[in-house]
Amino acid sequence: MSESDEILDPTPSQSGTDESVLTDRPATLDGASIGLLSNAKKNSDHFLQSVGTHLQSVADIDVSDVVYKPTATSAAPDDIYEELGQYDAVLTAYGDCGSCSSWTIHDAIQLEESGIPTVVFCSEEFTTLCQFESENQSCPGLPIVEFEHPIADVAPEVVREERVTDAICDEVVEALTSDPETLRDRYGGRYTDEV
Amino acid sequence: MADVGPDGLPVVQPTRERVDSFLAATDRSGDETVGPFPLSERTVTVEKLAVNAVMAGCAPEHFPVVLAALEASLAEQFNLYGVLATTEPHWPSVVVNGPITEEVGINGADNAYGQGTRANATIGRALTLVYMNVAGADPGTTDMATHGGPHKRGLCVAENEEASPWDPLHVERGFDPAESTVTVFGAEAPHNVNDHVADTPQDVLTTAADAMTALGANTAYLTANAEPHLVLSPEHAATIARADWTKTDVKRFLYDHARIPVERLRGKGMDDDRDGTRPRHGPATDVPPDTTVPPCERPEDVVVTVTGGTGRHSLFCSSFGDTKSVTRRV
């Protein structure tokens, strides 16, 4: 091919980073305090409270009241990050639409960067988006725990009794007590590899 | 290189010669970088953006407009991170002002939002290709739009400054009339405002205000950052201006009248009043029950432009809500 026939590529040549901002986790949750961050999407607070109750049945932990950010479609304000900084770990819910998934991942990465182990809850329909973003923001091992979609049109008791499963709660405990390397193995490419 | 772009339409092959001709049309070096683009967080060269503009079918002289619009959409207040990923049908759309509209043939008159003009069709498409190829917005995996919309193939128009009785958008935002600018909006596809009867500002704008108060629109709920955008036709604008109304008067009227009674909002759309524990979106949270909710925080947040040709139709472009439009010099 001559130089004049050269066809250029419209996609980025830059490769992804190997860095990870995932923070270290404690070996056990006993004695830990856990903050709950809701993006105010429907049922997200019931989901978080139910997970918190489950966790208290398996570990000696304190769970916060639900902290709400004002809108799901942008980042939590700095004062919310500061408030959550008092906890040993944070659970945030959730990604169940496009922009709210993006900004939930953003919030989680801000918390990880400030040294707070964080778990993101995400509808099974939005996990690929969430992981794509976490990988591209240097956090490939960010624990993204999926739940059944849709969740906005079910009653709070259905959320508590059916959607928050034992498997989800077990996964949260693992995600908050495993080292970053293990989490990277567990979550790296988990939802993006099949695309 | 595939013959079909990620948007589903055939592409122009981005040869070295074509890409170089696009770079020659700007005063920017091909090695300069732009980004990072969410969702991929990739930063790319100006040359890479030119490759996408070639593929979209742009002419070289369109590339400076493409470049300015892309850079405008990266401003923090635009919230491209949310706009590209959202299940809503919102997408960056472009309004161009100043002499460049005539120089490169951007239509602001008859059927400006429709087909028929290369610059309008391809400048918007170039943005879409960059958001797909560079930002990684892929329908169904990372661009999660439930339906999307025709404007996502690319939307770019000029303001019809000659036919406007008021200062155009860029002058309103502090630019000189002789400067050229792009303004990007995180907008829905436009909705028609038909009024063949009204002969006063109040009547034209009452019809428009009604179109702006649909419960399903994001701006009904996410009002804190909303910029509801009314695109007046020259004829509607003339009717309003004949009564010596300024653009400020238009914005004030819309702010006062494009309102939804708060009780209509409760329990619908994005206002979850089920158990009263979580915050609701927008000012509906704090207003008393017998009041009405304006479409944005302040009257000046209403955006009014004049575009279109003959006819007594205007357009309402609802915004993503959590986005601010951004104006940049070309």
Side-chain angles (χ1 to χ4, degrees):
Chain A
M1 183 180 282
S2 70
E3 191 176 332
S4 62
D5 291 328
E6 181 191 1
I7 303 293
L8 304 184
D9 183 353
T11 59
S13 50
Q14 177 189 340
S15 59
T17 175
D18 286 333
E19 294 173 15
S20 176
V21 298
L22 211 61
T23 194
D24 289 334
R25 269 64 178 150
T28 172
L29 288 184
D30 280 328
S33 61
I34 295 184
L36 306 180
L37 171 61
S38 162
N39 61 358
K41 293 302 294 283
K42 190 174 174 187
N43 284 328
S44 59
D45 43 6
H46 298 293
F47 191 98
L48 287 166
Q49 287 165 334
S50 180
V51 173
T53 302
H54 273 70
L55 294 185
Q56 284 177 312
S57 70
V58 297
D60 176 22
I61 57 171
D62 286 328
V63 176
S64 79
D65 291 336
V66 176
V67 176
Y68 295 96
K69 69 176 188 175
T71 60
T73 47
S74 50
D78 286 344
D79 60 346
I80 285 187
Y81 295 143
E82 284 168 24
E83 179 181 353
L84 294 169
Q86 69 181 293
Y87 299 108
D88 298 313
V90 167
L91 311 180
T92 183
Y94 33 54
D96 82 328
C97 69
S99 52
C100 69
S101 295
S102 294
W103 286 109
T104 297
I105 291 297
H106 175 92
D107 291 336
I109 292 173
Q110 304 311 301
L111 293 165
E112 290 282 351
E113 283 182 337
S114 66
I116 310 293
T118 302
V119 171
V120 173
F121 294 108
C122 181
S123 144
E124 60 194 344
E125 294 294 331
F126 295 91
T127 49
T128 302
L129 169 66
C130 283
Q131 190 155 70
F132 182 74
E133 290 170 331
S134 63
E135 287 172 351
N136 290 322
Q137 292 174 56
S138 302
C139 209
L142 183 69
I144 298 167
V145 177
E146 66 178 338
F147 57 81
E148 182 184 344
H149 186 86
I151 198 166
D153 69 340
V154 302
E157 50 270 26
V158 174
V159 173
R160 287 192 292 266
E161 293 164 15
E162 297 178 23
R163 297 304 183 84
V164 177
T165 63
D166 290 344
I168 284 175
C169 296
D170 291 346
E171 190 176 345
V172 170
V173 173
E174 286 289 316
L176 290 180
T177 55
S178 299
D179 61 78
E181 199 62 33
T182 302
L183 291 175
R184 188 165 175 160
D185 290 343
R186 188 175 299 155
Y187 288 97
R190 181 169 180 170
Y191 306 112
T192 49
D193 276 355
E194 58 199 54
V195 176
Chain B
M1 181 60 54
D3 292 337
V4 175
D7 62 344
L9 289 169
V11 294
V12 174
Q13 291 299 308
T15 61
R16 164 57 63 193
E17 188 179 357
R18 286 175 177 144
V19 172
D20 284 347
S21 73
F22 276 47
L23 293 173
T26 78
D27 55 5
R28 306 279 293 272
S29 161
D31 296 334
E32 278 184 60
T33 55
V34 178
F37 283 87
L39 319 160
S40 68
E41 304 302 327
R42 296 290 194 264
T43 295
V44 294
T45 61
V46 167
E47 178 180 284
K48 189 73 74 177
L49 302 177
V51 171
N52 282 276
V54 169
M55 291 172 67
C58 290
E61 62 268 26
H62 300 151
F63 183 52
V65 181
V66 171
L67 198 50
L70 286 167
E71 291 185 316
S73 74
L74 292 175
E76 186 177 353
Q77 69 265 34
F78 187 74
N79 192 4
L80 188 63
Y81 186 55
V83 169
L84 293 185
T86 180
T87 46
E88 319 272 354
H90 301 91
W91 196 247
S93 66
V94 183
V95 175
V96 187
N97 281 101
I100 200 166
T101 59
E102 198 162 319
E103 291 163 13
V104 307
I106 303 169
N107 181 18
D110 301 274
N111 208 38
Y113 281 80
Q115 82 288 10
T117 310
R118 179 182 179 182
N120 297 44
T122 61
I123 291 171
R125 187 189 180 203
L127 266 65
T128 294
L129 291 185
V130 169
Y131 297 137
M132 297 187 78
N133 282 326
V134 176
D138 179 46
T141 53
T142 53
D143 169 354
M144 298 305 293
T146 305
H147 299 96
H151 57 307
K152 293 186 73 174
R153 297 190 186 281
L155 199 162
C156 173
V157 300
E159 184 165 10
N160 193 340
E161 296 178 23
E162 258 183 42
S164 173
W166 306 299
D167 282 343
L169 181 62
H170 69 312
V171 174
E172 193 187 336
R173 293 187 171 188
F175 294 88
D176 188 87
E179 291 182 293
S180 294
T181 65
V182 295
T183 302
V184 287
F185 295 89
E188 278 185 28
H191 178 80
N192 196 43
V193 179
N194 176 340
D195 200 317
H196 279 72
V197 175
D199 56 8
T200 67
Q202 292 89 341
D203 284 352
V204 170
L205 295 174
T206 295
T207 306
D210 196 73
M212 295 167 69
T213 51
L215 278 187
N218 269 27
T219 40
Y221 306 97
L222 295 172
T223 53
N225 288 315
E227 293 177 321
H229 179 191
L230 182 65
V231 183
L232 285 166
S233 65
E235 291 186 25
H236 279 164
T239 299
I240 295 166
R242 189 173 63 199
D244 292 329
W245 279 40
T246 65
K247 201 190 278 190
T248 302
D249 295 330
V250 174
K251 294 181 180 197
R252 180 77 222 187
F253 186 94
L254 293 171
Y255 179 79
D256 288 341
H257 293 85
R259 292 186 174 220
I260 302 175
V262 68
E263 286 310 309
R264 279 188 70 210
L265 288 171
R266 294 288 189 222
K268 301 180 190 70
M270 297 176 76
D271 188 274
D272 185 3
D273 67 346
R274 197 176 36 166
D275 58 17
T277 58
R278 69 179 63 74
R280 303 174 179 120
H281 289 282
T285 303
D286 301 319
V287 297
D290 58 346
T291 53
T292 55
V293 178
C296 48
E297 195 156 277
R298 307 167 305 165
E300 54 266 40
D301 294 331
V302 178
V303 177
V304 177
T305 56
V306 176
T307 289
T310 303
R312 301 197 65 77
H313 302 271
S314 291
L315 297 172
F316 170 51
C317 301
S318 181
S319 113
F320 176 60
D322 206 349
T323 178
K324 288 287 189 190
S325 61
V326 179
T327 302
R328 287 280 166 84
R329 189 179 290 107
V330 176

